[in-house]
Amino acid sequence: MKKAFFTFAVSILLTPLQAQERMSLEDCMAYAVEHSTSVGQKANSLEGTRQDYINAVASALPSVGASTGGNVSFGRGLDPETNTYTTTSTFSNSYGISGSITVFDGLSAINSIRATKVLRAKGVEDLQLARDEVAMNTMSAYFDVVYYTGAVEIAREQLEASRTELEQVRMHYELGDKAPADVAEIEAQVANYDYMLTQQQNNLALAVIALRKVMNYPQGEPLEVDTNVNIDGVMVGEPLSQVLEYALEFNPKVRAAEMNNRYYKISYATAKGRYLPSISLSGGYSTNYFTNLDDGSNYDHFFRQLRNNRGSYVGVSMSIPIFSGLGRRVSKHKAKLNFDNALLQHEELLRTLESDVTKTYQEMQNYGKQYVQGQKKVRANELAYRSMSQKFSEGMVSVIDLQTAANNLLQARSELLQARLQYIIKCRMVDYYNGEPLIRR
C-alpha cells in the first residue's frame, strides 16, 4: 500500500501541473494587443487628450480667487482712523475675494474646447489603428508559423518516401535489377530532402521567434501554437464596390484623417479669431482690520471693522489688437497652410486606401482560384508520382524521371499550402475593410 502511494505521488510530481493550451490565431492577436507597448503608448496619449479637453473646458469657466494678508508696523506710520502720521506700533490685515470671466475672446475658448474634443476623438481612432496594426503583424507572423509547420511536415513526408524508395532500390540492387548509379542517385535525393527538412525546421524556429517578438511574448517561455486553420466559411460574398464604400467611410485611417482635417480647420478659425477684440468682466469684494498695539481702545473691534470697511467693485475691460509685429498674420497663414496640407493628406490617404482595398480584394480572388487549381494539381502530381514510382520499381523509367515526379509533387504541395494560407489572410483583410473586427472572439 505504501509503495503504491509512493509511486502515485512521484508520478504526480513528475507530471506537469498544467499542459499549456495551444494558442489560436485569435488568442495570439489578443495577447499581442494586450501586451503591446505601442498600444499602451496610444492609450496613454488618449488619456492625455482627455485631460486636455477637461483643461480646455475648465479654462472657459470663471476664475475665482481669495486673498488675505497681515502687517505689523513699528515706528512712524499712517493711522487709517485719523489719516495722520503717528509713531506707534500697529497691526492690520485684509481679506478679499475676486473673480473674472472672459466674455468674448474671438471664440478662442470655444475653439479650444472643440479642438481638444476632436483630438480626443482622433485619439480613439489612433488607438484602434494601433491595435489593428499589432493584430495584422501578429496574423502575418502567425501564418508564417503555420506555413513553415506545414512545410516541415511536407519535407518530412517526402524524406520518408525517399527513404522507402532507397530501401527498395538497394533491395533491387542486391538482386541485380538496379545499377549502382541508381542507388547513388536515390541516396543523393535522400540527402537533399534531409537537408531540406533541416532548413524548414530552422525556418520554423525563426518564425516562432518572430511571432514571440510581435506578441511581446517572453522568449524563454514555451509557446504552443494551434496550426490547424479551417478554411471553411472564409469566403467573402460582398462585392468590391460595397467593401470600398465602407472602407472609404468608416476605416479608422479615414476617420483619423477626417478628425485631423477638423482639428486644423478649428486651428485656422482660432488664428483668425485673434484679430477680434476680447472682453472681460471682473469683480471683487474686500475688507480690512486695523488696531494700535500700544492702545487699541480707540478702534472698533474686529468684526465691526470688517463690516464697516467692506468694499466691492465690478469692472469691464476690452482689449483691441492693433499691431503685434505681424505675429497674428503669420500665425493665420501657417494655420491655413496646415489645414490645406491636412486636406491633401486626406485625399492621398483615400487614394492609397482605395488602391490597397482593390489590390487585397483581387489577391483574395486570385489566391482562391490558385487554391482550387492547386488541389487539382496536387492530386494529379500524386497520381503521377505513384505511377512513376511503380514504373521505376519495374525498371521502366530512370531515376531522374522519378526524382522529377517527386520534386513536382513537393512543389505542388508547397504551392497549395501557400495559396491556402494567403487566401485565408486576404479574406480576413477584406472582411476587416468591410467592418469586421480582426480579432473575432
Side-chain angles (χ1 to χ4, degrees), residues 376-392:
K376 299 178 181 179
K377 185 177 180 180
V378 167
R379 287 194 293 267
N381 279 277
E382 285 176 346
L383 293 175
Y385 174 72
R386 285 197 293 267
S387 175
M388 197 65 64
S389 178
Q390 180 66 29
K391 291 180 179 179
F392 176 75

Side-chain angles (χ1 to χ4, degrees), residues 15-292:
T15 303
L17 295 179
Q18 183 178 1
Q20 184 186 18
E21 185 177 354
R22 291 180 177 271
M23 298 184 69
S24 65
L25 172 60
E26 317 300 330
D27 296 331
C28 291
M29 289 193 293
Y31 184 95
V33 170
E34 181 180 356
H35 295 81
S36 171
T37 56
S38 61
V39 172
Q41 291 173 3
K42 290 296 182 181
N44 291 336
S45 297
L46 177 59
E47 177 61 23
T49 58
R50 190 179 76 89
Q51 297 300 324
D52 291 338
Y53 175 72
I54 294 175
N55 182 60
V57 173
S59 298
L61 300 177
S63 60
V64 180
S67 63
T68 184
N71 183 45
V72 178
S73 178
F74 303 95
R76 187 173 178 81
L78 183 66
D79 187 340
E81 187 73 19
T82 61
N83 202 28
T84 60
Y85 282 95
T86 61
T87 302
T88 184
S89 299
T90 61
F91 170 76
S92 64
N93 69 333
S94 60
Y95 304 91
I97 184 171
S98 62
S100 63
I101 183 173
T102 301
V103 180
F104 180 78
D105 61 351
L107 301 179
S108 293
I110 295 177
N111 285 333
S112 178
I113 296 174
R114 293 172 58 201
T116 52
K117 186 177 181 180
V118 168
L119 285 180
R120 183 180 177 183
K122 182 177 181 294
V124 173
E125 301 299 335
D126 288 339
L127 176 59
Q128 186 60 48
L129 275 175
R131 290 171 175 166
D132 292 344
E133 183 177 356
V134 171
M136 290 178 193
N137 294 336
T138 304
M139 181 170 63
S140 178
Y142 172 87
F143 277 108
D144 283 343
V145 173
V146 175
Y147 172 77
Y148 286 115
T149 300
V152 167
E153 186 64 24
I154 292 173
R156 182 179 288 111
E157 292 177 1
Q158 205 70 24
L159 175 62
E160 292 299 326
S162 63
R163 284 174 176 171
T164 302
E165 292 171 357
L166 178 60
E167 293 177 0
Q168 294 176 354
V169 169
R170 284 174 177 172
M171 182 181 63
H172 284 287
Y173 170 72
E174 292 175 356
L175 296 175
D177 296 336
K178 296 293 182 182
D182 295 332
V183 178
E185 288 288 347
I186 299 298
E187 288 177 344
Q189 179 176 279
V190 170
N192 180 57
Y193 286 142
D194 194 8
Y195 173 79
M196 182 181 299
L197 175 60
T198 302
Q199 188 179 38
Q200 297 297 350
Q201 289 173 337
N202 181 61
N203 291 336
L204 175 59
L206 293 177
V208 173
I209 293 175
L211 178 60
R212 290 174 182 268
K213 181 180 178 182
V214 173
M215 294 174 56
N216 204 18
Y217 195 92
Q219 294 289 343
E221 296 184 7
L223 175 62
E224 295 293 334
V225 178
D226 183 8
T227 58
N228 295 322
V229 183
N230 189 8
I231 197 173
D232 297 332
V234 300
M235 176 67 70
V236 177
E238 292 79 4
L240 175 60
S241 58
Q242 178 180 332
V243 178
L244 272 175
E245 182 180 359
Y246 188 92
L248 295 178
E249 184 175 358
F250 297 106
N251 189 268
K253 290 183 179 179
V254 177
R255 300 283 296 168
E258 291 174 350
M259 298 298 174
N260 200 49
N261 292 347
R262 292 176 57 186
Y263 171 75
Y264 282 111
K265 183 178 181 180
I266 295 172
S267 298
Y268 179 46
T270 302
K272 292 191 294 183
R274 295 192 180 102
Y275 283 90
L276 301 176
S278 60
I279 301 174
S280 300
L281 176 66
S282 61
Y285 170 87
S286 64
T287 186
N288 62 79
Y289 169 77
F290 181 87
T291 188
N292 190 320

